[in-house]
Amino acid sequence: KNQVEQSPQSLIILEGKNCTLQCNYTVSPFSNLRWYKQDTGRGPVSLTIMTFSENTKSNGRYTATLDADTKQSSLHITASQLSDSASYICVVSKTAGNKLTFGGGTRVLVKP
Amino acid sequence: SAVISQKPSRDICQRGTSLTIQCQVDSQVTMMFWYRQQPGQSLTLIATANQGSEATYESGFVIDKFPISRPNLTFSTLTVSNMSPEDSSIYLCSTQGSTNEKLFFGSGTQLSVL
């Protein structure tokens, strides 16, 4: 079982609407949690990095939240645009050895 | 930030041949990594490329199959040797300045093995 589970696997939203992606993890001990955006045919690009003490972090229309007690994170996309169509990957870093565990990603398709 | 130039961007290869993927970073970086992303799946770390010494491979990956070079702090190569259709995947290099810093990725190499 993957230590980082993302849901949903995919979703379709209309342009201008909001959506929220979920990430649950069991990685321990936890160092930080990252969200990446991966456009088709491109490498992932960092959106946010949150450490244990951070509850929320924003990057433009992207807002990530973290609940380290329940080991859950979410990525909220506000007022979606066609360019938001991509895979969003949750990555959790383990304290020891900086080991990164990647979630399976959520594929988002924004339709006009 | 770091800008990574990765090439080739894609290739179609015959079974049994080898392909070398190159990554050039626009600045000196401490850590460089090579990942594989199989169709529809997330990233799996192949190895950490160590400057001036042998790469550190993850479980399931061996040097004979994926030889890696890192001659300096800005450049690395990954070779996929004796390819089979199961090696069809996206290969990505990435860099990180230090622990807890963001990872920067190359644009990836889409490899198809016939």
Side-chain angles (χ1 to χ4, degrees):
Chain A
K1 183 172 162 51
N2 197 0
Q3 295 183 66
V4 179
E5 297 281 350
Q6 290 187 243
S7 62
Q9 281 192 331
S10 62
L11 77 157
I12 300 172
I13 58 174
L14 292 177
E15 187 178 11
K17 298 297 185 182
N18 304 333
C19 69
T20 300
L21 316 180
Q22 300 292 340
C23 175
N24 296 338
Y25 63 93
T26 58
V27 172
S28 182
F30 166 87
S31 175
N32 59 66
L33 185 144
R34 309 152 185 242
W35 282 94
Y36 285 85
K37 177 187 179 188
Q38 185 176 22
D39 293 313
T40 301
R42 307 301 297 268
V45 174
S46 177
L47 294 176
T48 63
I49 300 177
M50 289 184 291
T51 60
F52 183 91
S53 60
E54 295 176 293
N55 300 119
T56 184
K57 184 164 279 190
S58 292
N59 179 356
R61 294 180 296 102
Y62 301 102
T63 299
T65 66
L66 173 64
D67 186 334
D69 292 330
T70 62
K71 294 184 167 58
Q72 295 179 326
S73 176
S74 66
L75 181 69
H76 187 75
I77 305 175
T78 303
S80 60
Q81 300 177 0
L82 298 179
S83 59
D84 293 329
S85 296
S87 286
Y88 292 84
I89 304 171
C90 175
V91 185
V92 180
S93 173
K94 207 168 182 175
T95 302
N98 190 33
K99 202 79 171 179
L100 297 179
T101 303
F102 288 76
T106 294
R107 291 172 190 75
V108 174
L109 176 61
V110 181
K111 287 193 167 182
Chain B
S1 67
V3 177
I4 305 173
S5 299
Q6 182 174 344
K7 58 181 181 181
S9 58
R10 61 179 63 242
D11 208 340
I12 300 173
C13 301
Q14 295 297 320
R15 182 195 300 258
T17 63
S18 298
L19 175 71
T20 296
I21 303 167
Q22 298 181 5
C23 267
Q24 178 73 54
V25 189
D26 68 343
S27 59
Q28 293 187 339
V29 291
T30 307
M31 293 180 270
M32 288 187 76
F33 309 95
W34 287 97
Y35 287 89
R36 181 174 72 183
Q37 187 175 27
Q38 293 181 303
Q41 299 190 24
S42 194
L43 283 73
T44 301
L45 180 64
I46 297 172
T48 301
N50 301 309
Q51 194 267 323
S53 64
E54 197 170 281
T56 305
Y57 289 84
E58 297 300 305
S59 175
F61 298 97
V62 295
I63 187 171
D64 290 344
K65 177 66 176 177
F66 298 101
I68 288 171
S69 79
R70 188 163 179 208
N72 55 53
L73 291 175
T74 65
F75 186 79
S76 179
T77 67
L78 169 76
T79 299
V80 186
S81 303
N82 189 26
M83 289 183 284
S84 66
E86 292 71 35
D87 294 320
S88 297
S89 187
I90 298 173
Y91 293 85
L92 294 144
C93 65
S94 74
T95 69
Q96 186 175 18
S98 62
T99 305
N100 290 334
E101 289 189 4
K102 63 176 70 173
L103 279 175
F104 295 95
F105 286 88
S107 54
T109 296
Q110 175 77 63
L111 172 62
S112 298
V113 184
L114 304 178

